[in-house]
Amino acid sequence: VRFFALYVYNQFAMLLRIDTILQRDCCLDRNLPILLGVSGGGDSLCLLDLLHRLGYPLVVAHLDHGIRPESSLDSNTVLKIAGSLGIPAVSQAASAPDYAREHNLSLEESARILRYRFLFEQAAIHAAQAVAVAHNADDQVETLLMHLLRGSGLDGLTGMALRSLPNPWSATIPLVRPLLGIWRHEIDTYCRERHLEPILDRTNLDTRYFRNRLRHELVPELETYIPGVRQRLWRTAGLLSSDRQILDNLTRQAWQAVVLGAGVDFTTFSLTAFSTQPVGLQRRLIRQSVSGLRPEARDIDYALVQRVLDFVECPSHTNQADIGLGLGIFLEGDEFHIKTWDTTLPVDGYPQITEDLVLVLPGEWHLDSGWILSAEIVMDVETARESALANQDGSSLKLSDYMLNRKIPARLRGAWPLLCLDDQVAWVPGHHLAHHFRLTRETKKVLAFQVGLK
Amino acid sequence: VRFFALYVYNQFAMLLRIDTILQRDCCLDRNLPILLGVSGGGDSLCLLDLLHRLGYPLVVAHLDHGIRPESSLDSNTVLKIAGSLGIPAVSQAASAPDYAREHNLSLEESARILRYRFLFEQAAIHAAQAVAVAHNADDQVETLLMHLLRGSGLDGLTGMALRSLPNPWSATIPLVRPLLGIWRHEIDTYCRERHLEPILDRTNLDTRYFRNRLRHELVPELETYIPGVRQRLWRTAGLLSSDRQILDNLTRQAWQAVVLGAGVDFTTFSLTAFSTQPVGLQRRLIRQSVSGLRPEARDIDYALVQRVLDFVECPSHTNQADIGLGLGIFLEGDEFHIKTWDTTLPVDGYPQITEDLVLVLPGEWHLDSGWILSAEIVMDVETARESALANQDGSSLKLSDYMLNRKIPARLRGAWPLLCLDDQVAWVPGHHLAHHFRLTRETKKVLAFQVGLK
């Protein structure tokens, strides 16, 4: 009788804990379907059982990664389990080994990419409110250690989240991990009590895999240093996660203040605004830019970020540098761009002209991209004389040197409009009048030219 | 000849690196003395040699921790080395084992406390611009791992700093660690090349000490997971350190916004302002409060901070709770206090009176702590009638219940001033007039009482 009481108690305790987590932390609605990734292992069978008992409508999805010869049998087992509970289920076969070869990735990484892609595709098809996966507290600790050993900064050390939105696979469907606070031994007990029969995946025991070595060798060894180190590491992930939220918010604000423009293949920063940010945020802004330009790059190299910081502090004489991943940094006056090497930066912010115009004065002429040149006769010669700025220096300067001095970005110089009289340059729009065309006391008639946006 | 060239190069490379670090990162002045802690091991002899060659005036300080029987010989060796370089040196003997017993601390922790106390005492005596110690890059990695295994949050994972001011031992003398970016093997090479002869400290090999086990067992093992893991962990400490700076700044701002008062034995928080802070900053504010109240507590327990957060979110019915370390949390209206159990909170912000006064009207009377009660005859009875608030309810209420309803903090109720006529309470200052003393249409004469600060 005593044993029976304990048995009931444990199960209900677990149900209550998960129920709270599902509502409070994962923000799930009990009336909308959840797409649940089920490998057939203990973790996913436990989560399937819990969600089903709590009354959430489910769709079970299983991906056969094609790694083990017996894996197609697993699909059948999972479909059968779902069927026995009256839950709709889908399975698909993929080849992680092929994908790994094609994309030069590790087998683990390939399996992960294929699995999440499949789960989110299925979630969209079944109009699921979320994709749920069964990572547990031990997985969380292993993830923290994995990122630590790889030299990740704060972002990796926060581990996984109970709910992530946006995530790398969707901007609208959250990824939830309700078991993140439940230890593997608790799940094992639950499975035994509920007579769930997990599929044994032998690859989980293979210590040639990095994560398995962490699980079976490193974590048990760390426990000999400080007992309870698992719990401490699990808590650390939580502490760092709340720190990260603060920094993520600051990064969003800094992005608004620092980034002047961003496209699929470039980010333009204000150098002055960037330089006033603390270095921790500078690093985050660079990483955000690079991960936008290279969404497939999972870990952004420390060295890449450092190259950008070094360049910004002390630019090379060519004003550009290779930063890796096929990206470059380009300095132009008070702006710098991180962009793919072959990208032409947009020129909308500057006057450009690709064909010669012959002007019949006065009038208005269209340049490129909505820029307009206008000319009108000025009546108030006196005021014009005071406001028109001309070069005071009569000595001549090569046009290319002048443009360099005036910090006109190199890429814009070729198509920068020039106002000419015969073969003499009278005005470089945005800059001074040529000395020869300055307004003197003897000037009687004034034509005012303006270049501006519509 | 080739070998000689390499030999010179290496040494000068090290000198140049350290020279830059001393000026740029440690902010040291070449003309002012540095107090250098020298154990006689390779690290400290290397730093002694480097600082001496770079021309910094030095004072060498050595503490005999009384742990090893031969340690008094070490003192002589260090004094002799300093003497041979013409550098003034002091040594002192202490007993770390005794201190450990007396204060219930580990031997390592005791040695650390005694050493730094001695070094900063000597720095003050010799008017040194800084205390320098010789921690190296490997020490940094070990520190990060040690804090990680202990479950520290971000603050521990940042490792040690090149320069710390304020530090736990001084608010004016910085602690600098110029070798923090130099690896142990580089230091060993330097010592060999410069014919420096370090004292061998056998306790450094004793893997019963936590740090030694990390050094000799864990770090080499981690290298088998990912080669170069040392460098990665070292970089991680740097990345996290720039994140921490940002959070430290935010915490300072939040402290200004949230903390209403702080003494040696209490901190008073605005509950509303505290609740609007992100949880990462809430944790930091609590830790800052607790480490101010308990400066000797080195690691502030995760559970203690969590108890405060839980209490603030959902206070107990007694409005107070034990949070550990002999501290409690107390809720009073929109304020909460973290304080030592036996502390009486200051009452300056509230009117209090410890002796009865008999009032002869009109007049002015001194209450406690600069509060004043005044009474004057009001001429404009009509206006007084409109503004004087009285309890509309004529039913009587026990005074203690009234005070509870009005959220007068319990600790202030006993000495809260009461204006009485014979045995009837007419007014509880700061609150409504008693019903019986309200101003009615028939009121002809009005006495206005005020309680306020000088």
Side-chain angles (χ1 to χ4, degrees), chain B residues 415-441:
Chain B
W416 199 272
L418 298 176
L419 184 70
C420 302
L421 185 64
D422 300 327
D423 58 349
Q424 274 194 300
V425 176
W427 183 44
V428 179
H431 303 276
H432 293 174
L433 281 175
H435 184 72
H436 184 68
F437 292 85
R438 72 192 183 283
L439 275 62
T440 66
R441 292 197 182 175

Side-chain angles (χ1 to χ4, degrees), chain A residues 221 224 232 242-243 284, chain B residues 150 213 221 243 283-284:
Chain A
E221 171 157 358
T224 70
R232 288 167 193 257
S242 47
D243 288 341
R284 288 190 151 69
Chain B
R150 286 187 177 149
R213 233 191 118 191
E221 172 156 358
D243 288 342
R283 285 211 184 89
R284 286 189 152 69

Side-chain angles (χ1 to χ4, degrees), chain B residues 20 22 90 114 132 163 181 224 241 248 400:
Chain B
T20 308
L22 291 170
V90 284
L114 292 171
R163 181 176 193 269
T224 70
S241 169
D248 282 350
S400 59

Side-chain angles (χ1 to χ4, degrees), chain A residues 148-150 154 213 218 221 224-225 229 232 235 239-240 242-243 246 250 279 283-284 302, chain B residues 148-150 154 213 218 221 224-225 229 232-233 235 239-240 242-243 246 250 279 283-284 302:
Chain A
L148 179 81
L149 296 183
R150 287 187 177 149
L154 186 63
R213 236 191 116 192
L218 186 59
E221 171 157 358
T224 70
Y225 283 82
V229 78
R232 288 167 193 257
R235 275 188 336 214
L239 288 175
L240 296 181
S242 47
D243 288 341
I246 296 170
L250 289 179
V279 67
R283 286 213 183 87
R284 288 190 151 69
Y302 173 89
Chain B
L148 179 81
L149 296 183
R150 286 187 177 149
L154 187 62
R213 233 191 118 191
L218 185 59
E221 172 156 358
T224 70
Y225 283 81
V229 78
R232 288 165 194 258
L233 291 175
R235 275 188 336 216
L239 289 174
L240 296 181
S242 48
D243 288 342
I246 297 170
L250 289 179
V279 68
R283 285 211 184 89
R284 286 189 152 69
Y302 173 88

